């Protein structure tokens, strides 16, 4: 799949890891629904554990790749747009939680200062 010319050309852009992680966060809830994983597991495992780890990683990527701070909004916005389509509205709060975890990733080792 990476050898497809348009995808190969896109992957050369500096911010593409942020885009790929954001798309993964958008696709995973539908995958969990497709496999009929119960809502409790979807919220607990996917929304709380997996997506928080991904959002922390995205914050670290923004620092590592030296991207502008507005890339912090990519993952929460994509997640919230995905949630509006099919899932309960209370899940929109996770967009704020993911933004906070991204900021923790930005802080890196300065979190205790």
């Amino acid at each position: 799949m990476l050898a497809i010319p348009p995808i190969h050309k896109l992957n050369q852009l500096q911010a593409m890891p942020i885009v790929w992680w954001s798309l993964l966060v958008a696709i995973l809830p539908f995958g969990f629904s497709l496999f009929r994983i119960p809502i409790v597991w979807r919220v607990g495992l996917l929304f709380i554990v997996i997506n928080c780890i991904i959002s922390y990683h995205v914050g670290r990527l923004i620092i590592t790749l030296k991207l502008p701070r507005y890339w912090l909004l990519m993952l929460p916005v994509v997640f919230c747009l995905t949630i509006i389509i099919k899932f309960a509205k209370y899940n929109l709060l996770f967009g704020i939680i993911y933004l906070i975890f991204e900021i923790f990733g930005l802080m890196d080792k300065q979190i205790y200062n």
Side-chain angles (χ1 to χ4, degrees), residues 2-97:
L2 295 176
I4 300 172
I7 293 176
H8 181 69
K9 187 169 177 99
L10 281 175
N11 280 336
Q12 293 174 352
L13 298 174
Q14 188 177 15
M16 278 314 287
I18 309 297
V19 174
W20 290 122
W21 282 111
S22 299
L23 289 175
L24 179 67
V25 166
I27 292 170
L28 280 177
F30 293 110
F32 272 49
S33 294
L34 183 67
F35 292 115
R36 300 192 188 273
I37 294 175
I39 293 172
V40 174
W41 283 101
R42 183 173 52 229
V43 170
L45 182 65
L46 176 63
F47 291 172
I48 294 176
V49 176
I50 296 173
N51 286 353
C52 284
I53 291 170
I54 290 173
S55 62
Y56 179 81
H57 177 67
V58 166
R60 297 283 309 259
L61 275 174
I62 290 172
I63 287 294
T64 304
L65 299 174
K66 296 176 179 68
L67 295 174
R69 305 280 183 196
Y70 60 80
W71 282 100
L72 282 172
L73 299 174
M74 175 85 174
L75 186 135
V77 167
V78 169
F79 175 79
C80 289
L81 290 174
T82 303
I83 292 304
I84 287 174
I85 295 171
K86 182 179 178 190
F87 300 101
K89 301 297 183 234
Y90 66 84
N91 290 326
L92 292 172
L93 288 173
F94 285 111
I96 297 169
I97 293 169

